[in-house]
Amino acid sequence: MSGEQSGGSGRLSTKEAAERLGVKPETVYAYVSRGLLSSRREQSGRGSTFDAKEVDALTRRNTRAAAAGSGSGELAVKTRITLIEKDRYYFRGVDATELAAHYSYEPVAEWLWTGTLREDVRFTAPEEIVGAARQAVQALPAHSGPMDRLRVSAIAAAAADPLRFDLAEQAVLGTARALVPTLVDALPKTGEWTLDEHTIAGRLWPRLTRRAPDAQWMSALDRALVLLIDHDLAASTLAVRVAASAHAHPYAAVSAGLGVLEGPLHGAASGLAHRMLTEVLERGSAAAVVADHLRAGRRVPGLGHRLYPREDPRAQALFAALADVPEAREALEAARDVVTTTARHTELYANVDLALAVLTVAGKMPPEAGETVFAVARTAGWIAHALEEYGERPLRMRPSGHYTGARPPQPLPTPVKSRT
């Protein structure tokens, strides 16, 4: 394949791509799963090929990232909230999956915010704030999705709170304990049963599905909320810290996170996994579905995570909770089929999006439900990061741009006449 390597054009084999990137072959497929590279199956069916220009571009980007990481100009954010290390993650030093196994969402949120675990904590919101959020949501077009409703709820709640600009710690904590239930209560209900209105999981369930829950379902949803509370400096969390660095109030900081979360490479990823899992169940096997994704050069949803070489610990914990739900057995088997089938092609493991898809598919929820669970859960983590950032030097989130445009002085541009 020497012709493929000349001039940076053509197709590269997996081995050649790995050599150019300076990584192992399995890492090349991990790049595909993360959307950093696209692959195409060879006609012989014995392997995949990669666009040489894409590989070279990724090589240059990795080189720049390594150089930036070794210099003093790297943006590093000190945090006491979440540590990701050796295929595990920890909230204030405590294994997050253990917290999820023993405590509900509200106590763990308090642990993140204050470093104190209170089992009896309850989140409530003033009726005038919840009412404003509901009115704003009801005014949206019928086709609006849950993320539209959550963003509008946050804005309406802010407008209804004249004390939102108070950034003292206790004031921000009060805002946080009211904002999370406001976001949930402003969502329209699909079920009519009465659940435990004192918990976020109990209030959220009837807004996700018409299916009547039992203790096992509620435990699985609560565990998902805890597992997703925070995950270090994900893209949405960084946006929140940038907003908080400018001393934006908590509602505005959360709004920044919600905006980033809606990207298809972040919170919306669980919806892609939901649709894939639904197709696997309809077709009775993962083989054809996985083959369709690979043939089209698409990543298989719900697999691989750049921070975890093996299975995402959040997926492990949520799969364990769902194993106690009899109605989830079929979806769980379908998810395992996806992982096993893909393993024949490359070694990738389940991430939390696949586990969320099992929850939403088995729970008869719409594809967007996983994104809703993610957003509600992560709100507590965003508030924790905002609280930290309020205590830092203001406006420190200001990296320097590396200008690559034309050097001045340049002549004034000549106007282009529009064609009429």
Side-chain angles (χ1 to χ4, degrees):
M1 288 195 177
S2 59
E4 292 182 348
Q5 299 182 21
S6 63
S9 61
R11 308 292 301 179
L12 300 176
S13 67
T14 304
K15 181 181 179 182
E16 290 167 335
E19 289 175 350
R20 285 201 187 188
L21 288 161
V23 299
K24 296 179 180 179
E26 53 264 33
T27 304
V28 175
Y29 289 110
Y31 285 146
V32 174
S33 75
R34 287 153 45 194
L36 298 176
L37 283 178
S38 59
S39 65
R40 190 168 70 197
R41 296 287 291 179
E42 292 182 354
Q43 292 183 351
S44 64
R46 295 181 178 178
S48 299
T49 62
F50 304 85
D51 185 284
K53 291 183 179 179
E54 277 192 6
V55 172
D56 289 342
L58 182 57
T59 300
R60 290 191 296 271
R61 186 162 67 176
N62 287 351
T63 301
R64 288 196 301 269
S70 63
S72 60
E74 181 187 20
L75 176 62
V77 178
K78 293 182 179 179
T79 176
R80 298 177 301 276
I81 299 170
T82 300
L83 169 68
I84 300 175
E85 186 177 68
K86 298 178 181 178
D87 282 338
R88 310 300 298 172
Y89 74 121
Y90 306 86
F91 293 154
R92 292 187 179 272
V94 180
D95 190 308
T97 61
E98 287 296 311
L99 283 168
H102 292 90
Y103 299 104
S104 295
Y105 176 77
E106 293 88 338
V108 178
E110 287 284 332
W111 173 248
L112 281 189
W113 296 338
T114 67
T116 300
L117 192 96
R118 295 170 47 204
E119 286 193 85
D120 60 345
V121 66
R122 294 289 182 267
F123 292 169
T124 58
E127 184 53 43
E128 60 269 22
I129 291 180
V130 177
R134 282 177 175 156
Q135 281 188 327
V137 167
Q138 291 167 1
L140 289 172
H143 65 265
S144 300
M147 291 304 296
D148 298 317
R149 298 181 181 116
L150 289 171
R151 289 201 312 274
V152 166
S153 296
I155 294 170
D161 182 1
L163 304 180
R164 62 187 180 275
F165 298 104
D166 187 348
L167 301 186
E169 181 178 352
Q170 289 305 313
V172 174
L173 288 171
T175 297
R177 295 175 187 128
L179 178 55
V180 176
T182 295
L183 294 177
V184 174
D185 291 352
L187 294 171
K189 282 188 176 183
T190 59
E192 297 302 326
W193 49 86
T194 300
L195 296 173
D196 184 359
E197 291 292 327
H198 296 295
T199 68
I200 294 300
R203 294 154 92 153
L204 181 60
W205 181 272
R207 292 166 168 86
L208 299 173
T209 178
R210 295 180 182 276
R211 162 168 271 180
D214 54 23
Q216 287 80 14
W217 272 120
M218 293 308 306
S219 177
L221 177 59
D222 208 2
R223 189 170 302 190
L225 288 168
V226 174
L227 293 167
L228 292 166
I229 278 185
D230 191 56
H231 206 233
D232 195 31
L233 288 182
S236 57
T237 304
L238 180 58
V240 168
R241 292 198 76 129
V242 171
S245 178
H247 281 190
H249 56 71
Y251 300 96
V254 168
S255 294
L258 288 170
V260 175
L261 191 67
E262 195 171 16
L265 301 181
H266 197 4
S270 62
L272 301 176
H274 177 110
R275 292 178 175 88
M276 177 197 65
L277 206 58
T278 299
E279 187 178 359
V280 170
L281 289 169
E282 290 173 348
R283 299 175 71 167
S285 170
V289 178
V290 170
D292 286 346
H293 279 79
L294 296 177
R295 187 178 299 116
R298 298 191 304 265
R299 57 180 291 187
V300 179
L303 298 180
H305 195 290
R306 70 183 186 88
L307 298 180
Y308 302 114
R310 300 184 70 81
E311 190 170 54
D312 185 335
R314 299 171 298 176
Q316 291 177 344
L318 188 50
F319 282 147
L322 289 165
D324 295 331
V325 183
E327 296 89 347
R329 187 174 298 116
E330 189 178 11
L332 269 172
E333 291 174 355
R336 295 191 186 101
D337 193 12
V338 169
V339 175
T340 302
T341 301
T342 309
R344 303 172 195 165
H345 173 73
T346 182
E347 192 175 22
L348 290 173
Y349 298 88
N351 62 34
V352 73
D353 295 316
L354 188 61
L356 264 181
V358 173
L359 172 71
T360 57
V361 169
K364 305 298 182 185
M365 301 174 190
E368 301 81 13
E371 191 174 5
T372 305
V373 175
F374 198 123
V376 170
R378 190 57 58 88
T379 299
W382 291 336
I383 294 291
H385 281 274
L387 278 164
E388 273 198 338
E389 198 58 42
Y390 290 145
E392 297 287 348
R393 175 175 57 82
L395 295 175
R396 69 186 182 123
M397 297 290 188
R398 179 61 170 86
S400 298
H402 180 62
Y403 179 73
T404 59
R407 297 300 304 173
Q410 294 289 320
L412 284 173
T414 302
V416 178
K417 295 182 179 179
S418 59
R419 297 179 179 179
T420 57

